[in-house]
């Protein structure tokens, strides 16, 4: 547990953006493997746009005092 105390840096927001975009793309490939779901490029684009819209809303439309209070909780 000692190493968790020594590292104070939080993961970058860009790391989360990349992770969620990768997750959306991966889900599309996994859907094709099920046999009853379909792989679509449009879904990948929609998932990626959803990640960016969520990021924009959370960083620009939510007031900073409220955003800081939620993040600390």
């Amino acid at each position: 547990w000692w190493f968790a105390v020594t590292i104070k840096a939080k993961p970058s927001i860009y790391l989360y953006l990349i992770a969620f975009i990768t997750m959306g793309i991966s889900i599309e490939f996994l859907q094709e493997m099920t046999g009853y779901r379909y792989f679509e490029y449009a879904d990948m684009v929609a998932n990626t746009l959803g990640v960016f819209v969520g990021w924009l809303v959370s960083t620009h439309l939510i007031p900073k005092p409220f955003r800081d209070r939620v993040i600390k909780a």
Side-chain angles (χ1 to χ4, degrees), residues 6-11 13 15 24 27-28 33-35 37-38 41-44 49 58-59 61 63-64 72-73:
T6 60
I7 299 173
K8 299 279 185 189
K10 292 182 181 179
I13 188 69
L15 181 65
I27 287 172
E28 287 303 314
M33 294 179 194
T34 63
R37 301 289 304 251
Y38 299 104
Y41 290 109
D43 285 345
M44 284 189 215
L49 288 175
S58 69
T59 57
L61 296 180
K64 186 166 176 29
K72 288 180 185 177

Side-chain angles (χ1 to χ4, degrees), residues 6-7 14 22 25 31 34 55:
T6 60
I7 299 173
Y14 300 112
T22 303
I25 292 170
Q31 284 180 355
T34 63
W55 173 69

